[in-house]
Amino acid sequence: MRFFLRKIAGLLVSAVVASFVVFAFLAVLPGDPAEVALGTNATPDAVAALRHEFGTDRPLVVQYLDWGRGLLHGDFGTSYVTHDLIGPRITDRLGVTCWLAAGGMLVAVLLALPAGVLAAAWHRRAAGTVLSALSQAGIAVPAFLAGILLVYVFAVRAGALPAGGYTPLADDPGEWARHLVLPCLSLGLVQGAVLTRYVRSAVLTVLHQDFLRTARAKGRRRRAALWRHGLPNAAVPVLTVLGLQLSTLLVGAVVVERVFVVPGLGDLLLQGVADRDLLLVQGVVLVLVVAVLVVNVLTDLLYHLADPRLRSR
Amino acid sequence: MRGRYGLALTVGGTLVALVLAAALLSLLWTPYDPVRVDAAHRLAGPGGAHLLGTDQFGRDVASRLMTGARTTVFVGVVAVGSAVLLGVPTGIAAGMSRGVLGGLLMRVGDFLLAFPALLLAIMLAAVYGTSTGTAMVAIGIASAPGFARVSRAATLRVMAAEYVDAARLARRGRWSVALRHVLPNIRDVLIVQTSVAFATAVLAEAALSYLGLGTPPPTPSWGRMLLDSQELLFSRPELCLWPGLAVAAAVLGLNLFGDGLRDRFDPTLEGVR
């Protein structure tokens, strides 16, 4: 229990530090949002007035505390560029990105578990080497490139799936799924290739452990011993990698959204960069970083639950 | 088994050498001017005057690939170089002190790990605009914690060795121990990590250029070429193939090279991983 509390406290501290870093990073920069918004021909009076309206004429500490207080209520502030609330825009997009990351994870796990276990079980055979080589090649392909290739095969040549766009789940579940297949595949195939290597090495390590030999000596078949004793033990290191991968997937979704024109957080973030909408960028980056932090802590906790040897500590 | 590890090193080394050679050669010679627009020869097919054809602006694809290799290598060298300069001394210091300072440094590193290169680059781009420089800085900062972590772990191992105790008893100073004993003994680990970080940097650079946040046009970069060719996926799909193959070959080469080196340096890892 103390372990859990300590982890949660650590998460809170990290989240506060993250908000500070993100704020400081974008606040200390040269350039004034009011000047940017009004262009180069603005009169000093107009700039001062807008600065006052934005609140950027106040001391930085006050600005940070104000922004931070808003965040606690889910208020990300009002955009300097579009003049609407940032919070709802983020929550609108967050769901899309989460679907993408979750779908990508599903594909990766469905691919990597069998492939990794087989690659380990067959590691002395040609088939195992082929699987290893395939995963090695898969790692070298960036997700957005996989996306472009998948669009070519399934949208351009086969015409079976849409090349891009998005339909909300509530509007039409069938279309929603059809639009998510290719983005999730492009995220998942690449992550799956990475994960395969970790699964393979985890299973290989377990294969050489004494308890597996004991199980075989007791008369269990190789396959049964692997299922009963090997895989649960191999699961622990794999779980950690899985958590790390989920954060990679969240960030990878930013790029894949661009390939498939999916209106997620990444799309919003890039729009913010193009408009130099710093408050929007600040908000989205913070959401993504906190998501990564939360996933990391959850992984730690899961890791702890999965491995009884760690619980006594 | 030695033969197979030799294979990883050979294949990886060859791919890396090819990319390097293309980058170096592009400094002296390319078949055509990679940024010259030639409206009369738009979308020429492969073969003929243009080995790999031309893009929608009539620019020679082969020349752009070679110059793109230069961009990739340049970004990678600067980014990984700065990550080494930032991360390795930090990691060694953290490993040698082990006190409050060491713990604090690693905390900062762990925290930085939550800031992926891509987010860092996007933030930098929002502030300073897009340029090769922002991409390099972002990738460099994001890769530094990896070096710090690896060098700290390796330093801890070295510090437990008897020859370090001996050096200390001989009243060698901290710097002397760090430079004469720690650094040479963690060199192998660092070389492998450099190879891995370089692969990550190539991927990050391609992704950033693809998002329009890396090297701005007209300077060719593989990511940008992929973005430009995506519009032509219906009519000229092979234009995506070349820059895509280039990225994949570079990353595959670096990964294989790193794996090969690791096995060469540490035979106990044979088969595991």
Side-chain angles (χ1 to χ4, degrees):
Chain A
M1 199 57 207
R2 262 184 53 202
F3 173 80
F4 283 69
L5 290 177
R6 213 169 59 222
K7 280 287 163 196
I8 305 281
L11 172 65
L12 290 177
V13 173
S14 304
V16 172
V17 175
S19 74
F20 184 74
V21 170
V22 172
F23 176 83
F25 196 89
L26 293 172
V28 181
L29 58 111
D32 179 341
E35 274 175 27
V36 173
L38 289 175
T40 44
N41 297 326
T43 63
D45 284 349
V47 172
L50 193 62
R51 210 176 277 159
H52 186 70
E53 191 194 320
F54 288 166
T56 47
D57 55 349
R58 298 169 301 164
L60 283 177
V61 181
V62 178
Q63 287 185 45
Y64 172 68
L65 290 178
D66 194 44
W67 183 60
R69 195 175 315 124
L71 287 179
L72 291 179
H73 303 111
D75 176 10
F76 286 78
T78 309
S79 162
Y80 298 148
V81 178
T82 57
H83 302 286
D84 47 19
L85 281 175
I86 291 171
R89 286 173 76 187
I90 292 181
T91 40
D92 275 359
R93 306 295 192 95
L94 185 61
V96 181
T97 303
C98 287
W99 282 126
L100 262 184
M105 189 48 110
L106 187 71
V107 173
V109 170
L110 288 181
L111 177 81
L113 287 187
V117 172
L118 288 180
W122 295 341
H123 73 284
R124 287 187 209 286
R125 288 196 243 161
T129 312
V130 169
L131 276 174
S132 295
L134 277 178
S135 73
Q136 183 69 270
I139 294 171
V141 177
F144 66 93
L145 177 57
I148 295 175
L149 295 176
L150 286 171
V151 167
Y152 178 66
V153 173
F154 289 100
V156 176
R157 295 305 296 266
L161 289 162
Y166 184 73
T167 308
L169 175 63
D171 290 5
D172 184 346
E175 278 302 301
W176 169 80
R178 267 168 51 86
H179 281 91
L180 275 181
V181 171
L182 290 185
C184 289
L185 270 182
S186 39
L187 274 173
L189 287 179
V190 175
Q191 291 297 325
V194 180
L195 195 58
T196 300
R197 286 183 33 107
Y198 285 101
V199 173
R200 174 178 178 270
S201 85
V203 175
L204 264 185
T205 314
V206 167
L207 279 181
H208 294 114
Q209 302 275 325
D210 289 342
F211 60 77
L212 211 67
R213 204 186 317 148
T214 310
R216 295 268 282 133
K218 286 194 317 190
R220 276 195 196 264
R221 284 170 189 281
R222 196 170 121 92
R223 179 174 308 199
L226 193 60
W227 269 111
R228 177 74 182 81
H229 301 284
L231 296 187
N233 279 287
V236 178
V238 170
L239 210 58
T240 321
V241 180
L242 218 63
L244 287 175
Q245 288 215 314
L246 193 56
S247 29
T248 324
L249 275 175
L250 274 173
V251 179
V254 171
V255 190
V256 168
E257 280 169 18
R258 168 57 67 92
V259 180
F260 293 97
V261 210
V262 176
L265 273 186
D267 184 59
L268 188 65
L269 185 59
L270 294 173
Q271 196 184 317
V273 173
D275 298 346
R276 302 208 117 206
D277 193 341
L278 293 182
L279 208 53
L280 177 63
V281 173
Q282 200 170 306
V284 178
V285 169
L286 184 65
V287 167
L288 285 172
V289 170
V290 169
V292 171
L293 289 171
V294 169
V295 168
N296 287 350
V297 168
L298 285 180
T299 314
D300 264 7
L301 295 181
L302 266 182
Y303 183 69
H304 226 70
L305 287 177
D307 193 343
R309 282 167 297 188
L310 290 173
R311 254 180 253 158
S312 53
R313 274 205 261 138
Chain B
M1 291 307 253
R2 188 134 297 277
R4 210 177 85 221
Y5 296 135
L7 186 70
L9 258 187
T10 318
V11 175
T14 310
L15 287 173
V16 173
L18 272 176
V19 174
L20 271 179
L24 289 176
L25 183 60
S26 78
L27 290 170
L28 302 172
W29 175 84
T30 51
Y32 290 84
D33 179 350
V35 296
R36 213 195 81 207
V37 173
D38 180 0
H41 297 97
R42 293 174 65 238
L43 297 173
H50 297 271
L51 183 63
L52 300 178
T54 60
D55 66 6
Q56 61 263 57
F57 301 107
R59 297 175 299 195
D60 181 57
V61 172
S63 305
R64 291 179 67 73
L65 272 183
M66 287 171 65
T67 325
R70 191 204 302 167
T71 309
T72 300
V73 172
F74 178 58
V75 171
V77 167
V78 177
V80 175
S82 29
V84 168
L85 288 180
L86 272 173
V88 173
T90 315
I92 293 182
M96 286 182 68
S97 71
R98 270 190 282 184
V100 180
L101 177 74
L104 193 71
L105 285 176
M106 291 334 280
R107 279 269 141 189
V108 173
D110 282 351
F111 181 74
L112 265 179
L113 279 178
F115 272 94
L118 200 72
L119 284 189
L120 215 56
I122 289 175
M123 271 165 73
L124 281 171
V127 177
Y128 299 104
T130 59
S131 73
T132 313
T134 52
M136 289 188 303
V137 171
I139 299 172
I141 294 179
S143 321
F147 279 99
R149 181 167 277 258
V150 165
S151 18
R152 174 173 174 267
T155 303
L156 285 176
R157 267 202 305 278
V158 174
M159 293 304 282
E162 282 172 357
Y163 56 79
V164 172
D165 292 337
R168 278 194 176 148
L169 285 174
R171 294 178 177 268
R172 294 253 185 232
R174 291 173 145 269
W175 283 97
S176 167
V177 172
L179 292 176
R180 296 179 56 143
H181 297 289
V182 178
L183 202 55
N185 280 299
I186 68 172
R187 194 196 56 195
D188 294 355
V189 181
L190 291 182
I191 293 177
V192 172
Q193 176 69 16
T194 303
S195 189
V196 173
F198 219 108
T200 316
V202 171
L203 282 175
E205 195 275 331
L208 285 172
S209 304
Y210 175 78
L211 292 176
L213 299 174
T215 304
T219 309
S221 63
W222 293 341
R224 185 83 204 182
M225 289 174 77
L226 277 168
L227 177 65
D228 290 341
S229 57
Q230 200 187 341
E231 306 163 12
L232 301 166
L233 205 52
F234 283 84
S235 51
R236 295 292 305 276
E238 81 274 11
L239 281 177
C240 279
L241 197 64
W242 306 121
L245 272 178
V247 174
V251 177
L252 180 66
L254 285 162
N255 281 339
L256 284 177
F257 194 62
D259 282 358
L261 284 178
R262 187 177 355 222
D263 296 332
R264 183 58 55 91
F265 290 147
D266 189 354
T268 55
L269 288 174
E270 194 173 316
V272 186
R273 238 179 337 100

